[in-house]
Amino acid sequence: MRASVVSPLLALLLMSAPAMAGRGMASDEPPHWVVSEVREVDRLQGRLVLTDGKEVWATNPQQLDQLVEGSRVRLRFEIFNGRRMIYSVERLGS
């Protein structure tokens, strides 16, 4: 009886670890700091394209409020499931 209860619980535990990892619970890499210029602001998708071609994605739509094409920015992003997610963004200059 004990083995019949333990086996399904162990299987559930082992299957849940990869599932949780696939949901972006932890960063794939340490945070990155970048100073760059904005080439494109896509508010509909919550995405910035920087002058070096990197795409970064807002975690909150308000992160893009003060940004326009040509804005110089300092941003910190973390990579979750292969996507660069904005952790913080600051517009530099006027």
Side-chain angles (χ1 to χ4, degrees):
M1 168 101 172
R2 183 177 260 181
S4 65
V5 173
V6 173
S7 294
L9 290 176
L10 183 59
L12 180 63
L13 179 63
L14 291 174
M15 289 182 351
S16 65
M20 293 301 276
R23 290 195 176 127
M25 300 300 271
S27 176
D28 296 339
E29 295 180 15
H32 300 274
W33 286 96
V34 174
V35 175
S36 187
E37 195 171 298
V38 176
R39 183 180 353 164
E40 179 184 342
V41 181
D42 183 346
R43 295 185 200 305
L44 187 61
Q45 293 186 20
R47 175 181 66 104
L48 288 178
V49 179
L50 305 176
T51 53
D52 64 0
K54 281 187 177 87
E55 293 181 324
V56 291
W57 304 83
T59 54
N60 179 335
Q62 293 175 341
Q63 291 174 315
L64 307 181
D65 282 351
Q66 302 300 314
L67 303 179
V68 295
E69 286 80 6
S71 296
R72 189 146 172 82
V73 294
R74 176 182 7 215
L75 60 89
R76 179 180 178 193
F77 66 86
E78 295 185 16
I79 300 175
F80 290 97
N81 294 330
R83 184 178 261 194
R84 295 176 191 94
M85 302 302 294
I86 297 172
Y87 180 79
S88 66
V89 61
E90 173 187 359
R91 185 173 175 177
L92 303 174
S94 54

